[in-house]
């Protein structure tokens, strides 16, 4: 299953959010009991709780880094056609160090940018941090199967696989009455709404 979490403070003051990130990562343990890891820079914090399925080796642990260290990714999901995509990339000269769909996904993004999404068959939620441009790319599958909650303010952008984990970051908790009404009518809250004001679900 796996769980992802992260924060991008706009004042580059990541130090004040490190404990909140770790607390959030701890709440994701049931989603990913096999390994827990984090990435920390002055501009961005990322965390990942792993449930090992495809490539169970340590080499496929996350956060996952490009060989040049420019890109860092946290990812939850499964790319069903990753072997076909990997074979195609190998024909183009790409070399791989793991048997994971994680590495294939990151290579595809590096080569094709956001257009790689149209190549993917599977369900996923992931973020990729570009350390050179200081940009964070976020995406989920076209059916919205994998969860991705986010909060955006003048202070920071934060995200997580679970609302409970996201709530370890400091923001005001207030019920979104439109989201609540949707829950009473539909028994669920459709994206981009959530039960809290200011918290959204990333749309497919």
């Amino acid at each position: 299953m796996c769980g992802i979490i992260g924060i991008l403070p706009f004042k580059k003051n990541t130090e004040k959010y490190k404990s909140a990130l770790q607390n959030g990562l701890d709440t994701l343990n049931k989603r990913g009991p096999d390994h827990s890891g984090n990435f920390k820079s002055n501009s961005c914090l990322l965390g990942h709780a792993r449930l090992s399925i495809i490539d169970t080796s340590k080499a496929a642990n996350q956060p996952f880094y490009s060989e040049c260290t420019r890109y860092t990714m946290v990812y939850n999901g499964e790319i069903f056609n990753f072997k076909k995509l990997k074979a195609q990339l190998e024909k183009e000269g790409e070399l791989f160090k793991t048997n994971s769909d994680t590495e294939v996904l990151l290579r595809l993004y590096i080569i094709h940018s956001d257009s790689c999404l149209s190549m993917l068959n599977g369900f996923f939620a992931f973020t990729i941090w570009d350390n050179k441009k200081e940009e964070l790319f976020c995406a989920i599958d076209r059916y919205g199967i994998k969860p991705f909650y986010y909060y955006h303010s003048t202070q920071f952008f934060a995200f997580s696989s679970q609302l409970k984990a996201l709530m370890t970051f400091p923001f005001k908790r207030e019920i979104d009455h439109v989201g609540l009404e949707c829950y009473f009518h539909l028994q669920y809250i459709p994206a981009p709404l959530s039960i809290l004001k200011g918290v959204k679900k990333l749309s497919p």
Side-chain angles (χ1 to χ4, degrees):
M1 190 159 44
C2 298
I4 61 176
I5 188 171
I7 186 168
L8 183 65
F10 300 133
K11 294 183 179 179
K12 298 186 178 182
N13 52 340
T14 53
E15 189 66 34
K16 68 179 290 187
Y17 300 107
K18 286 182 179 179
S19 61
L21 180 92
Q22 187 57 54
N23 291 337
L25 194 54
D26 290 343
T27 68
L28 295 172
N29 180 258
K30 290 184 179 179
R31 293 185 66 91
D34 296 328
H35 178 266
S36 179
N38 57 63
F39 163 79
K40 299 175 182 178
S41 74
N42 292 329
S43 302
C44 182
L45 301 175
L46 301 175
H48 185 267
R50 184 185 184 197
L51 178 64
S52 303
I53 298 177
I54 294 178
D55 181 343
T56 59
S57 70
K58 293 181 180 180
N61 283 343
Q62 297 182 47
F64 196 86
Y65 306 91
S66 63
E67 289 189 358
C68 64
T69 69
R70 173 176 170 175
Y71 301 94
T72 305
M73 181 174 75
V74 288
Y75 155 61
N76 168 34
E78 185 176 346
I79 308 301
F80 304 140
N81 62 331
F82 85 95
K83 290 184 178 180
K84 180 179 179 180
L85 293 168
K86 181 179 180 180
Q88 180 180 331
L89 290 171
E90 286 175 328
K91 287 181 181 179
E92 296 170 0
E94 294 292 316
L95 300 175
F96 292 83
K97 62 181 181 180
T98 74
N99 294 313
S100 69
D101 57 347
T102 304
E103 186 175 13
V104 173
L105 177 55
L106 182 56
R107 296 287 184 92
L108 282 172
Y109 177 79
I110 292 171
I111 296 170
H112 299 285
S113 188
D114 59 350
S115 63
C116 73
L117 296 175
S118 63
M119 307 174 187
L120 305 176
N121 176 13
F123 48 88
F124 52 82
F126 68 89
T127 67
I128 297 176
W129 170 247
D130 184 333
N131 196 52
K132 183 178 179 179
K133 292 184 177 181
E134 294 197 325
E135 291 180 351
L136 189 69
F137 179 76
C138 309
I140 64 170
D141 59 86
R142 59 182 59 87
Y143 293 107
I145 297 173
K146 288 298 180 181
F148 190 102
Y149 292 89
Y150 69 92
Y151 175 83
H152 186 196
S153 71
T154 58
Q155 300 298 312
F156 60 81
F157 173 85
F159 68 89
S160 183
S161 297
Q162 289 184 344
L163 182 57
K164 183 178 180 180
L166 184 66
M167 290 174 66
T168 60
F169 295 119
F171 62 88
K172 186 178 180 181
R173 278 69 160 156
E174 188 176 355
I175 293 294
D176 185 316
H177 293 287
V178 176
L180 182 62
E181 184 177 358
C182 285
Y183 179 76
F184 286 144
H185 280 286
L186 306 173
Q187 294 301 298
Y188 79 101
I189 302 175
L193 298 172
S194 83
I195 195 64
L196 294 180
K197 284 186 178 179
V199 176
K200 303 295 183 182
K201 297 176 186 175
L202 189 60
S203 297

